Amino acid sequence: MSVPILEVIDLHAAYGRIEVLRGVDLTVPKGAVVALLGPNGAGKSTLLKVISGQMKQTSGDVHLGGVHVQNPKPDELARLGLTTIPEGRSVFPNLTVEDNLLLVSYAGVPARDVMDTAYSYFPQLHQRRSQLAGTMSGGEQQMLAMARALASDPALLLLDELSMGLAPLIVDELYETVARIAQSGVSILVVEQFARTALRVSDYGAVMSGGRIVMTGEPNEIEKDMADMILGGVL
Amino acid sequence: MDALLAYTVTGIFTGAAYAIAASGLVLTYSTTRVFNVAHGALGMLMAFVFWDFSVRQGLPSWLAFVLVVFVVAPLIGVFVQRVLARGLGEAPVGVGLVVTVGIFVGVIGLAQQIWPPAARPLNQFFNQSGTHIGSLFVTWHQILTIALSGVVAVGLYFLLTRTRVGASMRASVDNPELLQLYGGRPDVVAALAWAIGTSLAALAGILLAPIVGLDYYSLTLLVINAYAAAMLGKLKNLPLTFVGAMGLGLIQAYAVGYLPSDAAFSGLRAVVPTLFLFAVIVLMPQAQLRIGQVKGIVSAPVASLGRSVSFGGVLVFAVAVAVVFLSNSNILLLGTAATYAIVMLSLVLLTGYGGHVSLAQFSFAGVGALAYAKLDSPNLLGLLLAAVIAAFIGALVALPVLRLTGLYLALSTLAFGQLMDKLVFQDSHAFGFNGTLTAGRLSVLGIRFTDTGSYVVLMSIFFVLVAILLLALRRGQLGRVLVAMRDSQAGCATLGLDVRWLRVGLFAASAGIAGFAGALFAGLRGTIGAQDFQFFSSLLLVLVAVVWGVTSVTGAALGGMFLMLLPVLQSDNPSIAGLAFAVVGFGAVALGRDSNGLANRLFVIGRFLRDQAFEVVRSMPDLRGDQDLDAEPDLASDEREVTDHAAAASH
């Protein structure tokens, strides 16, 4: 088996004195899509923050492509091929669509190619290229965010709560895009609360609860057992 | 016709210099959300550096120019952004203002320290040579300035709209964390913006210096005119900023040329930019509430009524004792300190509780003093009337900017301060140009306080009364509303609180207190003039207030003492006069982020000592308890018992 693109080993992290991650172990194999599921407050977003370099862990290790990373800066990781789409709309509202795409080129892809890719996948964005991103609908903004995921040609893509505040129909469309990105060989770690939608496009699933990974497995196993697992934990 | 042309050329030249300075201001503001009040001061500093390089060191002008604009200024800009102004963009507006005003004062002090006052002629570029356009002689220097402003305009427009760095400059205002996830470097982008911004300030300073002369204040204030231009573009829009700058330059030139030359209008010319700034601010559209900015500061403790009364009593007693022993001149200084302390109380109300910054508090004090002197009824009624008049003026300043908040409100006070300084106080109906007015000592219920000592004691009583009033206000419902308003405007709006009239009331009350202090000061000194209430002192006042703690009465008292001692220190040691300003300025930069100031640290020490004292008292019985516990098991204690018995037996 080849070296996994992401390996998280016994990761601990805390906000002040409140420990949020209490020993997380997670592996994303190269080229795979892993869905990270779990209830609110499980630590999913915190895990992504540590992986993307926005937050420092208190202990534990993160390996990216087999390399142990220490105190990475988010911008360095981004330029090395880690694309993170954070929670909420991850676009710059006061910049035009074209300016937003221009900034994607920091990831190492020429701006012209970024725009070609983006506009060929989402012709709608081409119509709106000189409009301020903040004035577009939520779905269109998320489209722009996905265009970044597509065009930046990442080695690993971290997606946080794509579905937040969007209509189910649009969520389905977005996940079709995720599946398409996955087909091009990109490894993806996707955090989601809507388990079924995310598992449909995943190769593996992992369930987080109380700052730990409590379950991993094939999507169908997870889908079967997760409700029991979480509800059982509560009851 | 020739005259019109000549004024137009002058106007375009000045406008071009303003445009260069203003675009630098817009650049730094739009990328880091820090309004750099010190922009003008940095330009002034760079003009002095240019003089130093070109005249004192004898470098060729062009080399000095290149060195200053492309090496020294960018480095200073990066230093200011990295070290002094770090993280101000997310801080409350008041903190950003105080820190940059600190840089402003500090830079002026630094310049005075390094280059002590002296005549420093600076030639125009190309040695005053020029060319004739029609019948009009235009210097190459003027043409160079106009051309450079065009270069700057086109260059900045291209940078911001056509390049990736420009896009990330605009992006970093929106969301620096997200920019990092894109792979951009917000700190590098911010440093670059400040480097360019400071270069532009330097450029404007160097181009203006030969015309207005190398002077700490006039050069600084000239570049302040750039604020007005930048305001027209709402600190964001570069083309509008250029329009504003050119318009301002032209209006100013025509005002010089065509306003009647009698005394009534001579002051008006000097305040054209200020009036322009005021007009732009008044015509500004409603400011949007900034949401998600709930970053309330931890307030200093509020003393209870009993505590404040007893502390006040101690203070008045201490002053009464001091008055007996001090010489007359020192008593006068003590009275000055009391005045400053009361003015600082007005800032405690406005800034400490209300979260607004006023950069013209001494002007309100001046209004109070003027009213007191003009009313010529030195009794409590006259004193009260003077305060009411000052409060009324304060409300007038706040009214037009009812819709605006934070930065714009502070800038309108800055405009007001300049207006009073240059126009109103100098007017023959007020103090007159370099003139003074006489004011009588106050009499309370028929008792006239002719003796300076007893008058100063009276002032300290007034200080204590105002302080007790403020603390009572802070403890009550109004105080809670004020603090809520300071911490989150949006939160107040959603609760249905209409904070606008409250803001006007707050401004009026604060101006009233300042006017009250000014009136008392007039009574103390007997003769007062415009120079007692200079605009620059208001800036120092804000800084000193913040350094010593603008959220507590104790801070006001300590700050008042300090502000009184500052000029004394400077006149005793003229060699470090500039350094003293620099220390205050950069002190405010260091401490400005915590508006509770030094006073709060004293409180912490006080509490610590009190807790320690309690600890000792409480631990006494504990010690005995420990001994009892120890006594049981070990042998040594048996021996001790034995010796104890032996001791008892020997009695």
Side-chain angles (χ1 to χ4, degrees), chain B residues 182-530:
Chain B
Y182 270 66
R185 274 170 287 195
D187 46 348
V188 174
V189 166
L192 182 67
W194 276 73
I196 297 174
T198 314
S199 279
L200 293 177
L203 189 58
I206 293 171
L207 291 171
L208 280 171
I211 315 295
V212 298
L214 264 181
D215 177 80
Y216 316 111
Y217 295 99
S218 61
L219 210 50
T220 301
L221 292 178
L222 248 166
V223 187
I224 280 189
N225 296 347
Y227 296 173
M231 274 304 151
L232 191 70
K234 278 199 230 164
L235 294 171
K236 284 191 198 116
N237 189 330
L238 278 175
L240 264 186
T241 302
F242 268 79
V243 171
M246 286 298 174
L248 182 59
L250 285 173
I251 294 173
Q252 227 183 342
Y254 293 145
V256 169
Y258 295 108
L259 276 183
S261 58
D262 59 325
F265 288 98
S266 65
L268 200 58
R269 268 183 226 131
V271 294
V272 165
T274 316
L275 289 174
F276 186 87
L277 174 64
F278 210 67
V280 171
I281 289 177
V282 168
L283 295 176
M284 283 272 273
Q286 170 97 40
Q288 283 197 338
L289 287 179
R290 276 172 86 176
I291 308 171
Q293 276 243 316
V294 190
K295 282 186 188 148
I297 49 168
V298 180
S299 297
V302 182
S304 67
L305 185 64
R307 271 174 78 88
S308 45
V309 168
S310 53
F311 269 93
V314 169
L315 181 72
V316 172
F317 180 74
V319 171
V321 170
V323 163
V324 176
F325 294 105
L326 287 178
S327 68
N328 207 37
S329 62
N330 281 338
I331 293 175
L332 268 178
L333 283 179
L334 197 59
T336 312
T339 311
Y340 292 163
I342 300 176
V343 180
M344 283 199 189
L345 283 183
S346 76
L347 274 182
V348 170
L349 178 66
L350 185 70
T351 309
Y353 298 164
H356 293 293
V357 177
S358 161
L359 301 175
Q361 220 54 15
F362 263 121
S363 304
F364 292 122
V367 170
L370 185 63
Y372 181 80
K374 284 282 175 189
L375 283 170
D376 200 24
S377 61
N379 50 37
L380 277 184
L381 183 70
L383 184 67
L384 214 61
L385 266 178
V388 168
I389 288 170
F392 178 72
I393 302 286
L396 275 188
V397 175
L399 256 183
V401 286
L402 195 63
R403 305 161 300 130
L404 304 173
T405 52
L407 179 63
Y408 303 114
L409 198 58
L411 285 178
S412 69
T413 62
L414 185 113
F416 170 75
Q418 279 194 297
L419 213 62
M420 295 308 272
D421 215 23
K422 288 187 182 154
L423 187 67
V424 180
F425 287 158
Q426 307 270 356
D427 192 82
S428 53
H429 297 293
F431 298 117
F433 187 70
N434 283 337
T436 53
L437 283 178
T438 53
R441 279 279 159 84
L442 189 71
S443 67
V444 180
L445 307 174
I447 308 161
R448 197 134 187 254
F449 287 81
T450 42
D451 171 47
T452 310
S454 55
Y455 189 82
V456 168
V457 175
L458 183 72
M459 286 179 86
S460 70
I461 292 173
F462 277 129
F463 170 78
V464 169
L465 287 180
V466 174
I468 289 174
L469 196 74
L470 277 191
L471 286 171
L473 184 99
R474 172 66 184 80
R475 279 193 302 268
Q477 192 196 346
L478 200 57
R480 281 197 296 277
V481 173
L482 283 181
V483 171
M485 182 171 91
R486 178 190 71 190
D487 287 353
S488 171
Q489 298 244 348
C492 283
T494 54
L495 284 174
L497 287 171
D498 186 0
V499 295
R500 292 174 301 172
W501 289 104
L502 190 68
R503 195 154 63 219
V504 174
L506 179 71
F507 238 86
S510 164
I513 296 174
F516 179 77
L520 280 176
F521 184 66
L524 174 75
R525 293 283 291 271
T527 52
I528 41 157

Side-chain angles (χ1 to χ4, degrees), chain B residues 136-147:
Chain B
L136 188 70
F137 181 74
V138 184
T139 63
W140 287 115
H141 184 91
Q142 288 175 320
I143 293 172
L144 176 75
T145 305
I146 296 164

Side-chain angles (χ1 to χ4, degrees), chain A residues 139-192:
Chain A
E140 284 166 334
Q141 290 184 33
Q142 210 60 302
M143 228 176 251
L144 182 54
M146 289 310 290
R148 173 172 156 236
L150 276 164
S152 59
D153 189 25
L156 173 63
L157 177 62
L158 304 178
L159 295 172
D160 197 356
E161 301 263 349
L162 280 183
S163 63
M164 200 190 238
L166 294 176
L169 198 67
I170 295 175
V171 174
D172 283 346
E173 276 175 28
L174 284 174
Y175 272 95
E176 274 166 32
T177 320
V178 173
R180 203 152 48 179
I181 299 174
Q183 276 162 20
S184 69
V186 174
S187 321
I188 306 175
L189 177 61
V190 50
V191 163
E192 189 55 83

Side-chain angles (χ1 to χ4, degrees), chain A residues 62-216:
Chain A
V62 176
H63 297 248
L64 285 170
V67 180
H68 184 217
V69 286
Q70 269 181 319
N71 299 334
K73 283 192 187 140
D75 50 290
E76 284 171 2
L77 288 178
R79 271 174 276 134
L80 289 172
L82 175 78
T83 296
T84 312
I85 312 278
E87 223 170 339
R89 315 266 170 268
S90 84
V91 298
F92 296 103
N94 291 323
L95 261 57
T96 62
V97 169
E98 200 149 278
D99 284 339
N100 267 286
L101 291 172
L102 182 63
L103 290 177
V104 174
S105 63
Y106 273 116
V109 182
R112 183 133 307 284
D113 296 354
V114 170
M115 288 180 203
D116 285 346
T117 317
Y119 295 151
S120 64
Y121 271 103
F122 303 108
Q124 218 169 329
L125 290 180
H126 187 255
Q127 287 168 17
R128 299 186 178 267
R129 63 186 182 281
S130 49
Q131 189 178 330
L132 291 188
T135 60
M136 300 198 300
S137 75
E140 284 166 334
Q141 290 184 33
Q142 210 60 302
M143 228 176 251
L144 182 54
M146 289 310 290
R148 173 172 156 236
L150 276 164
S152 59
D153 189 25
L156 173 63
L157 177 62
L158 304 178
L159 295 172
D160 197 356
E161 301 263 349
L162 280 183
S163 63
M164 200 190 238
L166 294 176
L169 198 67
I170 295 175
V171 174
D172 283 346
E173 276 175 28
L174 284 174
Y175 272 95
E176 274 166 32
T177 320
V178 173
R180 203 152 48 179
I181 299 174
Q183 276 162 20
S184 69
V186 174
S187 321
I188 306 175
L189 177 61
V190 50
V191 163
E192 189 55 83
Q193 292 213 32
F194 289 108
R196 208 153 283 149
T197 328
L199 285 173
R200 214 166 49 220
V201 301
S202 311
D203 302 316
Y204 304 98
V207 181
M208 242 185 129
S209 179
R212 287 191 191 83
I213 303 282
V214 289
M215 184 194 235
T216 49

Side-chain angles (χ1 to χ4, degrees), chain B residues 600-633:
Chain B
N600 200 41
R601 313 221 168 155
L602 287 180
F603 295 152
V604 171
I605 294 172
R607 261 195 305 259
F608 177 75
L609 289 177
R610 200 177 60 209
D611 290 349
Q612 288 294 304
F614 274 126
E615 199 66 30
V616 171
V617 173
R618 240 184 285 126
S619 61
M620 278 175 186
D622 283 344
L623 276 175
R624 229 179 289 134
D626 282 353
Q627 268 181 5
D628 288 346
L629 269 176
D630 288 344
E632 301 276 333

